[in-house]
Amino acid sequence: MPKIKTHPPPPKPLKTTPSPKLKPSTPFTSHLFPNNSTKQKPKLRKPSLLTKSHIKPLKQLLPYKK
């Protein structure tokens, strides 16, 4: 029986939490913080989780992520 292949783009920016939720990496957080607005900075510090509607199609693309 052949192995199931993961879809190439999604696995990199996603991590799984202990409860099976997907946590995406937030953009605009690597460098150049002074250029971001003062409202944007606190929002970028908080972790973001995907909603149920976003998780379902991604789970099909990631068969080996639990």
Side-chain angles (χ1 to χ4, degrees), residues 6 23 26 37 47 49 59:
T6 57
K23 183 180 174 184
T26 51
S37 69
L49 292 173
K59 287 276 187 179

Side-chain angles (χ1 to χ4, degrees), residues 2-19:
K3 291 182 178 179
I4 302 169
K5 300 208 174 179
T6 57
H7 196 73
K12 274 193 174 181
L14 294 173
K15 291 183 179 178
T16 52
T17 58
S19 58

Side-chain angles (χ1 to χ4, degrees), residues 3-61:
K3 291 182 178 179
I4 302 169
K5 300 208 174 179
T6 57
H7 196 73
K12 274 193 174 181
L14 294 173
K15 291 183 179 178
T16 52
T17 58
S19 58
K21 292 180 181 176
L22 293 173
K23 183 180 174 184
S25 60
T26 51
F28 313 114
T29 56
S30 61
H31 65 291
L32 299 175
F33 252 152
N35 297 345
N36 293 342
S37 69
T38 50
K39 283 185 178 181
Q40 192 180 15
K41 289 176 193 177
K43 287 180 182 178
L44 289 173
R45 274 187 235 124
K46 295 178 184 176
S48 61
L49 292 173
L50 293 176
T51 58
K52 287 182 181 179
S53 59
H54 287 113
I55 290 175
K56 195 172 184 180
L58 282 171
K59 287 276 187 179
Q60 292 171 345
L61 296 174

